[in-house]
Amino acid sequence: MNARCPCPPLADKALKSYRARQAAERLAAGEAYTVTPYVAVDELGEPLDTRALREHAYRLMKALGLRRVRLYDARHSCLTALAVAGVPDLVLAAWAGHTNAAFTKAKYVHVGVEHMAEAAAAWEKFAGAL
């Protein structure tokens, strides 16, 4: 992790690789390349619209043999996993780009049956100690 990008090391490595590819595309495109502050851009530097980004993600999922999931659902799953792992609400909100931690928890964190089973096991351990 670095100070500019609070990413897990694997994501940080992938972003660096992506930036290197973008630099090569910028060189190849010359003056036709548009410099923007966006990360998700095409080979000419133009920002990808949400449809293009979604379609690109689906192609990657297929190429990697992964089950196709909506990016929107992946965001919810990520935030739920982080919450279950004990990441504080304020950090969850910041990770999601939100300023309101209550909004993030209410809209993005979903408790599933598997989480209730974990709670039941924790309760059994606690109750057994009484």
Side-chain angles (χ1 to χ4, degrees), residues 52-122:
L53 184 59
R54 184 175 51 251
E55 289 172 356
H56 179 72
Y58 290 160
R59 282 192 303 274
L60 283 175
M61 288 174 206
K62 184 176 183 176
L64 295 170
L66 299 173
R67 182 173 58 95
R68 182 173 163 161
V69 296
R70 296 182 312 165
L71 296 180
Y72 180 81
D73 294 333
R75 178 176 170 88
H76 285 246
S77 296
C78 174
L79 290 167
T80 298
L82 292 172
V84 169
V87 173
D89 294 354
L90 287 174
V91 177
L92 279 178
W95 186 269
H98 302 153
T99 56
N100 184 323
F103 170 82
T104 303
K105 279 290 273 251
K107 297 293 181 186
Y108 287 89
V109 177
H110 309 286
V111 177
V113 173
E114 68 278 11
H115 305 120
M116 296 303 284
E118 292 169 16

